[in-house]
Structure formats: C-alpha cells, structure tokens
Amino acid sequence: MTARSARLAHRSAGLVILASFAVHPAQAQIRASERSTLSQTIDGTVITIDYARPRMRDRAQIFGTKAVHWDEVWTPGANWATTLEISKPITLAGHAVPKSKYSLWFVVRESGAWTMVLDPRNHIFHMDPPDSSASQVRFAVTAAASPVTDVLTWSFPRLQVNGATLAFQWADKAVSLDLKVPPSYN
C-alpha cells in the first residue's frame, strides 16, 4: 500500500466513524420553545432580539397563572432570558438606552402599567430574574388587551426612517414600544 492510498483509507475510515455519530434531522430533539432571532437595521443602527418562543399549549390563560405570575419579574421568552442588543444608543418608549446587549424583563401586573427592565447582565437563565440595580434601564410600559396569539412573538410592525415600533405579543397581551434611532443626516 502506498503512502497516498494509506492516507485515503485513513480519511475514509474517519468519515465512516463521523457519519455513524451524525444525528438524522428527523431524530433531533425539538425544543418546546424554539429559538428565534429578530434583527432590524434602521439608519445604520442594528437592533436584535434573541429569544425562545413558548406556546400557550391549550392553556386558556397565561398571565396571572403559574406560567406568568402577577407582580413578578418575568422574561418575555423561555429558557435563557430574552436579549435586546443595540449597536448605537436609542430611545425606547422615550427613555435613553445606551448601546449594549441587555437581558430583557417585564414586571407584569394585573392592572396598571407593567415595568420593562433592561439588565446589562445578558446571559441569565429565565428562572433567575435580576434584582433591581442602578445599572438597569427601567420604565413603565402599557400592556394592552389583544387578540390571542398562541406563540410568543416579538416584531417590528411599523418602520420609519428614524425609528420603529417594537412589539411584544403573547396570549391576550401586547406591548408596543416606540423606538427612535439617532439620525445620520440633519
């Protein structure tokens, strides 16, 4: 056997071993809350939301149940905390938000305004909400009644030259946030 044919035989054997460990896509485990990434560029500013998408799964209600308790800090997603990453400073619902990557949380309430919490610690498991700190960006948001949405969804339903609407929707609740970016041109 020549040195070349020995190398080819060795490579072929390695490919057979690797192929035997490969998982067929149909056999892969499907997550109960699949990952989603939403990204939008507005006037050179990149806004990215990374989250897992839980479903209602035949539950009649989500908010105010064991799924999402009233008056507790909750990440609007599943598994790891939902993150918001922005490449330049923005304003969100009229509040300055510096360029960074944040974990995103809501304090949900049965009546009155909810609180949005942007925490600079962005790799947090969803069951370990952050305590209040001076490094967070916190502000009131309005949770409105909405048509029932089975899958938790973040979207940009309205885009403009200098901003957008960032929207959250799940079950019978929706939060719409006015987002503004610094203009490139006067």
Side-chain angles (χ1 to χ4, degrees):
M1 181 181 278
T2 68
R4 182 176 186 267
S5 60
R7 282 193 309 271
L8 287 174
H10 184 265
R11 283 187 194 152
S12 296
L15 290 175
V16 169
I17 291 169
L18 283 175
S20 68
F21 287 108
V23 176
H24 189 274
Q27 296 171 337
Q29 181 179 353
I30 296 174
R31 291 181 170 253
S33 299
E34 295 179 318
R35 302 282 325 146
S36 183
T37 302
L38 171 70
S39 188
Q40 182 65 53
T41 303
I42 304 167
D43 197 12
T45 303
V46 181
I47 301 108
T48 303
I49 303 268
D50 187 5
Y51 66 109
R53 301 181 73 189
R55 296 178 176 276
M56 288 186 66
R57 302 198 189 286
D58 297 324
R59 294 177 280 197
Q61 194 172 349
I62 294 295
F63 296 97
T65 68
K66 69 178 185 174
V68 181
H69 300 273
W70 294 127
D71 302 314
E72 290 189 7
V73 180
W74 167 73
T75 190
N79 307 323
W80 292 98
T82 295
T83 60
L84 169 68
E85 185 170 12
I86 51 176
S87 66
K88 296 179 184 175
I90 63 168
T91 60
L92 195 55
H95 299 273
V97 180
K99 168 189 167 179
S100 192
K101 183 175 183 178
Y102 301 91
S103 58
L104 192 153
W105 307 83
F106 286 133
V107 179
V108 296
R109 295 186 179 85
E110 188 170 8
S111 61
W114 289 8
T115 300
M116 177 172 256
V117 179
L118 300 176
D119 192 283
R121 294 164 292 173
N122 60 63
H123 192 67
I124 301 174
F125 192 63
H126 78 283
M127 299 297 285
D128 299 320
D131 290 331
S132 182
S133 75
S135 63
Q136 294 173 339
V137 177
R138 298 173 76 93
F139 51 89
V141 297
T142 301
S146 74
V148 173
T149 302
D150 179 55
V151 181
L152 187 147
T153 304
W154 284 94
S155 64
F156 289 104
R158 184 184 60 84
L159 295 172
Q160 295 177 295
V161 154
N162 64 341
T165 298
L166 174 60
F168 157 82
Q169 191 170 4
W170 193 32
D172 61 348
K173 300 290 182 202
V175 175
S176 291
L177 302 161
D178 185 48
L179 184 151
K180 296 288 183 203
V181 301
S184 296
Y185 303 102
N186 291 331

